[in-house]
Amino acid sequence: AFACIPAEHWAKGGAGAVDAARAVIAACGSASPEKPFKLLYHDELSLKDKINKLCTDVYGAAGVEFLNDTEAKLKHFESQGYGKFPICMAKTQYSLSHDPSPKGAPTGFTVPIRDVKVFSGARFVTVFLGKISTMPGLPTRPAYYEIDVDLDQGTIVGLS
């Protein structure tokens, strides 16, 4: 690690990420011949190869299983000019695998690629692993379960 910087973009927008961004720039600039900075993959790799590289080299998977029509979609994306886009993985935050139950750094599993989508404005191809909800920021039990109306008092309860 090069630095430990709080990122408060969730509360302060871009201003809350400036220090973290500067730390990333400094880390990238500190490369040396002994420890060169290198990207995980080059833009020229096929989308399928980028996904395989992420799953095996970063997550510790033994392999990848492309379900449904994901391989055909990836080829179509490439034919439409999206092949050089980076990959964004939509997966559980509870594990390095696609499955939330294994803790630590599991290895040897096969990653199921359930779906793939192009987000052309963001310039990403997003890959959906296993069962994942793409609704950001929701806890396991959303707060609305605790909100109610107290008809006797005429007040809303559970908001604080």
Side-chain angles (χ1 to χ4, degrees), residues 91-115:
K91 59 177 279 314
T92 180
Q93 72 270 29
Y94 299 114
S95 172
L96 280 175
S97 78
H98 62 283
D99 178 357
S101 50
K103 303 302 181 219
T107 59
F109 54 92
T110 299
V111 175
I113 306 299
R114 182 177 52 81
D115 199 7

Side-chain angles (χ1 to χ4, degrees), residues 114-127:
R114 182 177 52 81
D115 199 7
V116 291
K117 292 183 182 177
V118 170
F119 292 95
S120 57
R123 300 186 56 84
F124 280 104
V125 171
T126 299
V127 179

